[in-house]
Amino acid sequence: MSITHTNSNAAGTASCPKQKAVSPEELLLNATRSRAFMTGSEAVAEAVRRAGVDMAIAYPITPQSESMHLTGDLYAQGYIKDYYRAENEFAVMAAVHGASLGGGRVFTATSGPGTLRAMEMFPVWAGSRQPIVCAFMCRGVALPPSIQPENIEMAFLLDTGMIMLHAENAQDFFDFILAGYAIAEQPEVHIPVGVFADGFFVTHTREVIMLPPDDIKLDEYNPDIAPIPPFDTEHAPIRMVRDPLLNKCNFVSYAASASWHQEVLAAAERARKHINKYMGGLIEVENPDADIMIVASGTAVSQSREAIRTMAERDGIRIGLVKVKSVRPFPAAEIAQATAHASAIIIPEFNAGGWLARDIMGTIDNNSRVIAEPRVFGGMSMPEEIIIEVVKKAKGIK
Amino acid sequence: MIQEKYRVLPGPEGFVPVTAALMGAVLPDAGGAFVEGGIVPETDALGLIAEKLANAKRPAICPGPLLMWQWNDAVAPKAAAVRELAGACGAKIYPMPDYRSKSPRINPEIEISVNHPNITILHNDIDVCLFAGVHSHYANFALRMIRGGTSCYTICLSDYAASDEAMISLRDIDAAKIAAITTKIKSSTGRS
């Protein structure tokens, strides 16, 4: 079963460009890639171009807007079967849920306050086991108002049940979106994937990325292999939600509800082997034998790389790096192993809450080794100097 | 902290049974099968399933919607193979026709509900049950409840990935694999 609707956009002229459908292995791992120079937002559109998306729904918000404008262009060019602008972010997330329940491969994106406005739908996506891929271009969320980069919104999504992948740069953003579909659509996984990038730093910065050819795309999604039945959303009466458990106040209905919740968490765990396959692991480690290890995700990784390079070249200090690519499922064992020998574990973050440090402190032995700084937010940048300062303090160097 | 590998074994495990995947259980790739928390060659698992069903006092087979209502060429021979399997091991069939809740309750004499499977398991004193054609989300959450509340030994035949909440589970199930289990039961029991 699949969406067979043809694109009848306003121009009425778009026909789907010829693209050969290939396996995720071919698209992500084997295809010859060529250089391109583009922003993270453009990289998102290039991923969608190759993802075989049936339907995309948009509502604009900075810094997400450009990516969904470009996705709209893909609709006009015939790459996407259906596309529209919804009333607001909640409507977007509810509508992509419906399209996914009906068996379509869907895409959307949002940012900061848009994420929070749509919040109710994220655990609904996970609870109904839909393989929706959503890009989050992270930014400040509340008073004092800020459209600037920070990733506090990720803290609010940690326990929604979705898989959370954190891109360091435009290359990751492109790769993780495509890998997101490959992972999400595994029968034993089949839950949503959020692909996160720090707004502006990634979305609005041009960089070199390597792209597979645009005449290939992911194989069509087959909802018949899902762990739940797809819905017939074209013939009345249309069903909009999964069968509820018996809503009685008794132990059996509570136990069934609890077991359902457990199944969503299990689905994320089962994603681990597919993340290893399509993304080369939940983490990446550099200088694994260094006495001091920096553990970071997103653009904090790039800033840490600069600090590590400067300290090696200028000061002769060797520092290790753990790049966290998968935030959910959380790579607790991998981080514990990579940092087991370290005397200090430095965790730089672009948010006020320190969600990554909290997760790591809750899962490693001897967590007094964790130095949960530097931490910047409200749109501040993270110059390498403030990371170096923390490292030198940890080493007792003035 | 050293933790022993979690084994997926008959319960009753208790008020809130654990989630096998969160305890480290990993599903097999093609050619493998899931047995009590570990991975074994599929051919070994076929024999284990035959042994469990052949030695059960009150075996039950629970066919789900993918076996009862699915509309493709593979399903009819698969359903016939399950019916023959039930005959070979003397299992009673308790259908799980869909996943809707029934009010006020199901009839445990003739059916099983995904939302409260233990009513049927306990009412009929089923010691070995086999799920076939149940979507894996529903199979897993029902099998976890069975492990939590009963001592029933659970087996799941999965169309795609196996089930890590059953004690034994096969993936990529087809009529030939089901027939192989039936053949082993017949040869071990001497029934034709």
Side-chain angles (χ1 to χ4, degrees), chain A residues 127 129 187-188 224-229 242-246 248 251-252 255-256 259-260 262-263 265-266 269-270 273, chain B residues 15-19 21-22 27-29 99-102 104 115-116 135-138 140-141 144-145 160-161 164-165:
Chain A
R129 302 292 300 269
E188 76 274 28
D224 283 335
I225 68 164
I228 31 70
R242 297 220 170 279
D243 292 317
L245 304 167
L246 200 56
K248 280 186 171 180
F251 168 74
V252 170
S259 192
W260 187 305
Q262 287 175 295
E263 193 49 28
L265 298 174
E269 285 302 306
R270 297 186 197 115
K273 72 175 180 182
Chain B
F15 194 64
V16 184
V18 301
T19 309
L22 269 70
L27 290 171
D29 294 323
Y99 306 126
R100 288 176 291 183
S101 301
K102 273 193 175 180
N115 297 322
H116 34 112
H135 287 85
S136 70
H137 171 80
Y138 292 98
N140 281 330
F141 101 72
R144 188 181 298 106
M145 293 175 74
Y160 300 101
D164 46 27
E165 293 295 338

Side-chain angles (χ1 to χ4, degrees), chain A residues 176-213:
Chain A
F176 291 3
I177 287 170
L178 288 170
Y181 286 108
I183 295 161
E185 292 172 6
Q186 298 293 327
E188 76 274 28
V189 179
H190 222 269
I191 50 174
V193 172
V195 182
F196 298 78
D198 300 336
F200 298 99
F201 294 138
V202 175
T203 55
H204 287 54
T205 307
R206 282 190 196 284
E207 56 186 291
V208 171
I209 78 168
M210 303 298 289
L211 297 177

Side-chain angles (χ1 to χ4, degrees), chain A residues 324-352:
Chain A
V324 178
K325 295 189 285 189
S326 173
V327 175
R328 288 290 180 276
F330 188 65
E334 291 89 340
I335 292 173
Q337 185 180 10
T339 59
H341 65 286
S343 64
I345 302 163
I346 294 167
I347 305 174
E349 292 191 63
F350 275 101
N351 65 80

Side-chain angles (χ1 to χ4, degrees), chain A residues 245-327:
Chain A
L245 304 167
L246 200 56
N247 286 320
K248 280 186 171 180
C249 297
N250 62 35
F251 168 74
V252 170
S253 65
Y254 298 154
S257 182
S259 192
W260 187 305
H261 278 288
Q262 287 175 295
E263 193 49 28
V264 175
L265 298 174
E269 285 302 306
R270 297 186 197 115
R272 288 178 185 275
K273 72 175 180 182
H274 304 293
I275 294 172
N276 286 332
K277 177 177 180 180
Y278 293 115
M279 292 171 51
L282 284 75
I283 63 169
E284 288 175 11
V285 184
E286 293 180 19
N287 298 339
D289 56 340
D291 177 48
I292 291 180
M293 300 294 291
I294 297 175
V295 184
S297 67
T299 51
V301 176
S302 302
Q303 300 309 106
S304 300
R305 289 187 202 282
E306 288 300 301
I308 289 167
R309 186 171 59 83
T310 297
M311 283 186 283
E313 292 175 357
R314 187 186 66 194
D315 307 319
I317 299 173
R318 182 177 161 83
I319 304 296
L321 176 66
V322 177
K323 171 180 172 175
V324 178
K325 295 189 285 189
S326 173
V327 175

Side-chain angles (χ1 to χ4, degrees), chain A residues 38-42 61-67 111 137-138 147-149 170 173 197-207:
Chain A
M38 61 178 58
T39 65
S41 298
E42 290 165 344
I61 185 167
T62 300
Q64 161 264 32
S65 301
E66 186 190 6
S67 66
S111 292
M137 290 68 163
C138 302
I147 63 166
Q148 300 299 336
F173 217 6
D198 300 336
F200 298 99
F201 294 138
V202 175
T203 55
H204 287 54
T205 307
R206 282 190 196 284
E207 56 186 291

Side-chain angles (χ1 to χ4, degrees), chain A residues 5-21:
Chain A
H5 173 84
T6 52
N7 179 341
S8 56
N9 63 35
T13 55
S15 59
C16 188
K18 290 279 184 216
Q19 284 181 299
K20 182 184 172 194

Side-chain angles (χ1 to χ4, degrees), chain A residues 202-237:
Chain A
V202 175
T203 55
H204 287 54
T205 307
R206 282 190 196 284
E207 56 186 291
V208 171
I209 78 168
M210 303 298 289
L211 297 177
D214 63 7
D215 61 354
I216 58 174
K217 64 177 180 179
L218 280 179
D219 269 341
E220 192 175 13
Y221 166 56
N222 176 10
D224 283 335
I225 68 164
I228 31 70
F231 284 4
D232 179 350
T233 53
E234 295 180 356
H235 301 98

